[in-house]
Amino acid sequence: MKKTLMMTGAALLVFTLAGCASDYVISTKDGSMILTDGKPKLDKSTGLLSYTDEQGNERQINNDNVSQVMKR
């Protein structure tokens, strides 16, 4: 039940953020939503997903912590 509510909330958040300038939304396994500018890139050798955040900073997240990457 809790998981269903979290997924519904995440979907509503994505639709709410549709007016933002980000190209992708990264959903993490802990329920966080990360907005990116441009498409995230996966480095298969390290398992890190690289992306540019809303402020233009280059960031990385372990791909094991990512549940979904959604294009806006």
Side-chain angles (χ1 to χ4, degrees):
M1 180 75 175
K2 185 177 179 183
K3 197 172 201 176
T4 303
L5 289 174
M6 286 180 60
M7 292 304 289
T8 302
L12 289 173
L13 180 63
V14 169
F15 290 120
T16 302
L17 297 173
C20 297
S22 297
D23 294 328
Y24 286 80
V25 178
I26 300 172
S27 175
T28 64
K29 291 184 179 176
D30 68 0
S32 299
M33 304 294 268
I34 302 170
L35 303 175
T36 70
D37 287 327
K39 185 175 182 178
K41 296 177 183 139
L42 177 62
D43 183 348
K44 292 183 181 181
S45 64
T46 63
L48 295 175
L49 189 66
S50 300
Y51 64 94
T52 304
D53 67 12
E54 293 178 294
Q55 291 78 31
N57 300 314
E58 292 292 323
R59 306 273 185 190
Q60 292 181 323
I61 186 171
N62 190 325
N63 196 46
D64 292 338
N65 296 333
V66 174
S67 63
Q68 189 174 20
V69 177
M70 299 166 277
K71 186 174 182 180
R72 281 193 343 120

